[in-house]
Amino acid sequence: MRTLRVETSRRHFLTGASAAGISLIASRAFADETIDLGLPDGVGTRPIVKNYLGKGPMILQRTRPPLLETPFEVFDKDIITPNDQFYVRWHWANLPGEINADTFRLAVRGQVNTTLNLSLKELLAMPAVETVAVNQCSGNSRGFFQPRVAGGEWANGSMGNARWTGVRLKDVLDKAGVKASATAVRFNGLDEPVVPDGPDFMKSLSIDHARAGEVMIAYAMNGEQLPYLNGFPLRLVVPGWYATYWVKMLNDIEVLDKPDDNFWMAKAYLIPDTPHASMKPGETGIKTVPINQMVPRSFVTNVKNGATVSAGSPLALRGIAFGGNTSVRKVELSTDGGKAWREAKLEIDAGKYSFRRWTAAISPTKGANQILVRCTNSDDSAQPMEANWNPSGFMRNVVEATTVTAS
Ligand SMILES: Nc1nc2c(c(=O)[nH]1)N[C@H]1C(S)=C(S)[C@@H](COP(=O)(O)O)O[C@H]1N2
Ligand SMILES: [Mo]
């Protein structure tokens, strides 16, 4: 557990002033290489950047603020997504140019008996906990929504799975002593709006969720300190919940005595309160609620849509699945459009919030073969056959189809 490298004396520098520096680095990191994400209407061509603020090869979605997508083949290599290819998403481009780990403090204030200003050393001295969990953007796969919706046009790579190490949020709240008046806990990071009246990015959780024990303040990711773009030096980890709650560069925790009405809770990240958060384009009068727990998903990772394979010999398939807010119960495949399903083999269980590797073999017949893959989680929630739709492009988890041609 203590082999991880978290140097409290280390600083994170960006070359140049923060915002301007980021664009400069982006343009220097530009390669000639591009990728076609295969989005509907052929709008999916993006540059690949290879050296963007410490990241390896990534799909550049936007530079200000930085939005980087993980190339999908990364998910075929391991159920853990490496830090240098873990996706990146920020709402505002105003990121600190330097973070000094020595002087950094995490404030815990509001409805508490004692206001705290915790150093990284103090946090590292508290009992450490570890969990493997999927971090997935609410808008992962938004680029596949039809009709199209506004927002980052992600393919399937705004998700990743990592081993997170840190302290329990509950332990930090207990240290401060939460007052009986507490109803919610709000989290804020070091990033700031680029316009004076822009709403600072903040998210909150109910006091019960915050104290239930699973929510973590992480200082390490896959045994290393957090990469700058993934929230150095601290981030919230909310297992089973969409990544919008996983506040990065976390430096302020405020215990509230009333519901949080800040923009990012009350106006943004709302979903229709309907099955699969689905509605019809233009439909009105639908009640909305803040987005919350994730839903199951599964993907083939070793064969690309449109690939050519040989007929008559078995085709080995493998992929990843995750249960969302609970573990994977089963992964099934269908090659007849969803009439018959066969169970895939599930590999190592790294924890209920982790990606799980699955393997299977099919026997392709001459011509086009459509492979459907479906995950059912331990709450018996299964991926739907029909894609959901909502105007924000959230919570896509339709059964994925991969078509290969056998000759
Ligand atoms: N401070 C801060 N934390 C944040 C955000 C942000 O804009 N600012 N974006 C959230 C959203 S919407 C996502 S999808 C995840 C992305 O996490 P990652 O960049 O580490 O992959 O960070 C979350 N935490
Ligand atoms: Mo997100």
Side-chain angles (χ1 to χ4, degrees), residues 87 89 91 136-140 142 154 242-244 269 394:
Y87 85 99
R89 198 264 189 268
H91 289 83
Q136 180 185 214
C137 181
S138 322
N140 190 24
R142 179 186 288 124
W154 301 106
Y242 281 99
T244 181
Y269 287 100
F394 288 154

Side-chain angles (χ1 to χ4, degrees), residues 270-275 277-279 283-290:
L270 300 178
I271 54 165
D273 190 14
T274 57
S278 199
M279 57 181 272
E283 207 177 335
T284 54
I286 291 190
K287 187 186 168 219
T288 60
V289 292

